[in-house]
Amino acid sequence: MSKQSKQTAISPCRADDYPEWYQQVIKASDLAERSSVRGCMVIKPWGYGLWENIMRVMDSLFKTTGVKNAYFPLFIPLSFLEKEAEHVEGFAKECAVVSHHRLEKGPEGNLVPAGPLTEPLIVRPTSETIIGDSFAKWITSYRDLPLLINQWANVVRWEMRTRIFLRTSEFLWQEGHTAHATREEAEERTRLMLDIYAQTAEEYLAMPVIKGHKTPSERFPGAVDTLSVEAMMQDYKALQSGTSHFLGQNFAKASQITYQTAAESEEYVWTTSWGSSTRLIGGVIMTHGDDNGIILPPKIAPSQVVLLPIIRKPKERDAVMHYTESLAQELKSINYHGHAIQVEIDNRDIGGARGWDWIKKGIPLRVEIGPRDIDAESVYIGRRDKDPKDRQSISRNQFVRELTTVLDDIQISLFERALALRKAHTQHIDDKRQFIDFFTPRNQEKPEIHGGFAYSHWCGAETCEAQIKNDLKVTIRCIPIEADQEKGTCIYCNQPSTQRVVYAKAY
RNA sequence: CGGGGCGUGGCGCAGCCUGGCAGCGCGCCUGCUUUGGGAGCAGGAAGUCGGAGGUUCAAAUCCUCUCGCCCCGACCA
């Protein structure tokens, strides 16, 4: 019985050791696990179901703006990457390289690579260059523009240190690539896709974000401008949750993507690229999770409801299961934001551990069904956004009737809770001393959760930015789009500034 | 790549200093008893102690080499 005295399902709790809490939550939730392959993860069915729903949401939003899906090769000739100078610089250090195409028995019976390739291939870290190669062939006339393409794929970036969902050597993502006749149109597309990321984050993941421009030092290698959406996690650190790049004509020139205008001149196209990844799942975990595990926003949860039949005596089994199955059927016919409610039935005979399993998995609603409920035509429900012990009995009819309303209510409560946290840990700071204090933990040995978002002025100099990063591990997350122009002086050097930027520690 | 730590049934660990039958908790399987909330009792399965070599009558333990992982830095969606 000692376990029953435990206060929370996840140990350590967030306040005690946030990074360890994150690992434990993932383990307890059955979302994913480390693979035997260095730096890689296995996404388990519950986690993949979550990703499928996120994909479904974004895919349909992309398509409403005219984007079509396609697929390009995993391998990119080394020479392609070399075409854009800054691009090479940015990605070269983290590329996996394929150098051979065959294995042979070695002297000790082990397999050794043989058949060296004449030109090594890299495993795509991103696909601008290989897609650019196709774009160059597909685009000849102004009538071919705009070209709006997206691909759902895996990419590989050989990171030094990895964390499940946040930074793994291989991850799943979508990358959109578009080509346009004019600069304005490409810039507009860059903004449009950023808005879709913000919409996905806020309306579906219940994760409030700030839209903004990256500073030159944080820009995508080869981009003219990088936009991002930034969310605050519960340790007050920022998570970049989607990026949209205006690439100017850099990649058009590198890949010779040209078109003929109506006036018969030959011009380079203007391109954009934009991506978001399984990292979003890490964002969901760290935005909504509590000390009992993850909490999934109903709109993207693989299942919204789990039914837990309570069978005390064998003779009750049939009646309880029948009631449970008929309720499941009824629920599955309910439309929730364009899709059927997904229902799980868990009749494992493992006592109370069953309920906790689903709490840790973050399912929005748990419904207990026992003989008493059947007699009363009722159900006993627990909401994941409330305390595990906070459950109530309501009539079956009312439950069915109000189900989508309750789910929407959970969705909204999660968003508002996250927004409140962000507000509580966001400050306008104009004093350098105060700025340093804000980002300095009181306990240097074992830093407590501290900091947040600081809206402060920046002179625009890379040296100030670098100094702050060096001194405090704080970076400029973005130059917010939706903010007033306001004159001030740089938080670090006192030089004039035209706008506040968002400073934070980041993932 | 620099600094630190760790590799022992599925998971978490003890045992190592001082060599002597491979253990504990959880999980898993079976049976009985329980059942509105993380059950109890009994029985059971599951380990070449990361790998290779060495010292020894005897190695999880000592020595050498090696591989992998985790944490802190630098790098990054």
Side-chain angles (χ1 to χ4, degrees):
Chain A
M1 296 298 276
S2 64
K3 283 194 147 191
Q4 281 185 332
S5 62
K6 255 193 204 171
Q7 294 299 303
T8 60
I10 303 297
S11 173
C13 65
R14 289 163 291 179
D16 285 350
D17 188 344
Y18 197 82
E20 183 58 24
W21 166 85
Y22 177 79
Q23 307 283 355
Q24 293 305 324
V25 167
I26 288 173
K27 186 183 277 187
S29 68
D30 214 30
L31 286 172
E33 63 192 18
R34 303 204 77 90
S35 157
S36 303
V37 184
R38 196 209 86 113
C40 294
M41 63 178 161
V42 174
I43 304 175
K44 300 176 82 175
W46 189 244
Y48 200 79
L50 182 58
W51 179 237
E52 284 176 316
N53 286 343
I54 295 171
M55 280 196 279
R56 188 183 68 193
V57 165
M58 287 201 287
D59 199 59
S60 83
L61 289 172
F62 295 159
K63 283 173 179 162
T64 61
T65 72
V67 172
K68 305 263 194 243
N69 284 333
Y71 188 80
F72 299 86
L74 169 67
F75 300 121
I76 300 178
L78 193 54
S79 58
F80 278 33
L81 194 73
E82 290 166 344
K83 286 179 181 174
E84 216 290 333
E86 285 183 32
H87 198 59
V88 190
E89 190 67 25
F91 285 104
K93 279 177 287 183
E94 50 188 56
C95 279
V97 185
V98 179
S99 53
H100 295 74
H101 66 87
R102 197 171 69 235
L103 292 169
E104 282 177 357
K105 274 262 172 66
E108 284 147 40
N110 52 331
L111 291 171
V112 294
L117 299 178
T118 47
E119 180 183 357
L121 297 170
I122 59 160
V123 180
R124 63 181 164 221
T126 180
S127 303
E128 275 72 11
T129 59
I130 191 76
I131 291 179
D133 184 59
S134 286
F135 275 22
K137 292 173 190 158
W138 296 354
I139 298 166
T140 52
S141 153
Y142 68 94
R143 294 190 179 93
D144 297 324
L145 298 174
L147 181 58
L148 311 172
I149 297 294
N150 177 64
Q151 85 164 339
W152 290 97
N154 57 339
V155 285
V156 167
R157 296 182 189 177
W158 214 259
E159 302 289 354
M160 288 301 159
R161 277 179 54 204
T162 56
R163 288 185 78 188
I164 290 188
F165 289 127
L166 297 176
R167 188 173 302 109
T168 44
S169 296
E170 179 191 13
F171 56 94
L172 305 184
W173 78 343
Q174 59 69 219
E175 50 179 322
H177 297 266
T178 69
H180 306 265
T182 66
R183 177 187 186 110
E184 292 68 31
E185 193 184 298
E187 286 179 325
E188 196 180 316
R189 173 57 62 168
T190 311
R191 263 304 301 273
L192 176 63
M193 300 325 284
L194 187 76
D195 288 344
I196 285 178
Y197 290 143
Q199 186 185 356
T200 303
E202 299 196 333
E203 288 181 22
Y204 293 88
L205 309 186
M207 189 167 79
V209 292
I210 294 169
K211 295 186 276 189
H213 297 266
K214 286 292 184 184
T215 63
S217 74
E218 298 265 332
R219 227 173 247 159
F220 176 77
V224 173
D225 190 14
T226 289
L227 303 179
S228 76
V229 288
E230 301 283 332
M232 182 188 283
M233 303 294 104
Q234 289 182 74
D235 59 353
Y236 318 151
K237 285 164 86 170
L239 184 76
Q240 181 175 307
S241 309
T243 51
S244 186
H245 314 291
F246 170 59
L247 303 174
Q249 293 179 311
N250 293 347
F251 285 87
K253 286 175 181 167
S255 296
Q256 287 298 308
I257 312 171
T258 60
Y259 72 102
Q260 207 166 8
T261 66
E264 302 189 316
S265 65
E266 189 182 15
E267 303 286 346
Y268 286 112
V269 299
W270 300 82
T271 63
T272 78
S273 70
W274 24 277
S276 66
S277 71
T278 38
R279 178 178 243 205
L280 286 171
I281 296 175
V284 167
I285 295 166
M286 290 196 290
T287 299
H288 303 304
D290 65 12
D291 293 336
N292 290 319
I294 57 169
I295 302 180
L296 295 175
K299 284 185 183 175
I300 53 154
S303 299
Q304 285 76 33
V305 184
V306 62
L307 305 182
L308 304 168
I310 305 222
I311 298 159
R312 291 176 304 178
K313 301 182 182 73
K315 65 175 181 182
E316 293 170 353
R317 169 170 290 273
D318 285 354
V320 173
M321 285 313 293
H322 182 264
Y323 188 90
T324 302
E325 274 155 21
S326 83
L327 179 61
Q329 279 314 112
E330 193 174 359
L331 296 180
K332 285 176 187 171
S333 69
I334 297 173
N335 183 306
Y336 180 58
H337 296 284
H339 298 274
I341 292 281
Q342 298 295 306
V343 183
E344 303 278 340
I345 296 176
D346 185 352
N347 60 2
R348 287 177 298 165
D349 181 21
I350 56 170
R354 191 175 54 167
W356 282 101
D357 258 17
W358 289 100
I359 289 170
K360 289 183 276 192
K361 286 165 86 83
I363 202 161
L365 284 175
R366 305 183 308 283
V367 180
E368 295 166 18
I369 298 163
R372 265 185 249 156
D373 303 296
I374 296 174
D375 291 344
E377 279 281 311
S378 67
V379 292
Y380 199 57
I381 66 169
R383 287 171 53 146
R384 184 59 184 86
D385 62 336
K386 302 203 163 158
D387 191 272
K389 294 196 181 90
D390 181 3
R391 286 166 294 167
Q392 54 169 328
S393 184
I394 63 169
S395 83
R396 172 174 170 161
N397 284 340
Q398 187 190 353
F399 173 64
V400 172
R401 198 169 57 242
E402 293 178 354
L403 176 59
T404 60
T405 312
V406 171
L407 291 173
D408 283 342
D409 192 53
I410 294 172
Q411 182 84 28
I412 290 164
S413 84
L414 291 178
F415 180 81
E416 284 178 349
R417 202 189 281 184
L419 188 62
L421 180 102
R422 191 180 80 188
K423 278 183 181 159
H425 300 282
T426 297
Q427 289 188 22
H428 281 53
I429 300 179
D430 293 317
D431 176 68
K432 184 172 176 178
R433 182 84 260 143
Q434 199 187 336
F435 182 84
I436 292 169
D437 282 351
F438 186 64
F439 287 115
T440 304
R442 273 186 282 280
N443 182 352
Q444 292 285 350
E445 298 291 304
K446 184 176 172 294
E448 74 283 0
I449 292 176
H450 66 281
F453 287 2
Y455 279 78
S456 298
H457 281 280
W458 176 50
C459 59
E462 212 161 295
T463 49
C464 263
E465 193 185 7
Q467 195 63 51
I468 292 171
K469 185 174 180 179
N470 183 56
D471 293 352
L472 302 168
K473 292 181 198 158
V474 167
T475 50
I476 297 174
R477 298 325 301 155
C478 71
I479 303 162
I481 292 170
E482 286 151 13
D484 297 331
Q485 296 294 306
E486 176 201 297
K487 285 196 177 10
T489 59
C490 179
I491 193 74
Y492 241 58
C493 73
N494 274 322
Q495 293 298 305
S497 148
T498 55
Q499 193 187 338
R500 288 177 189 275
V501 299
V502 179
Y503 290 92
K505 294 189 178 180
Y507 277 97

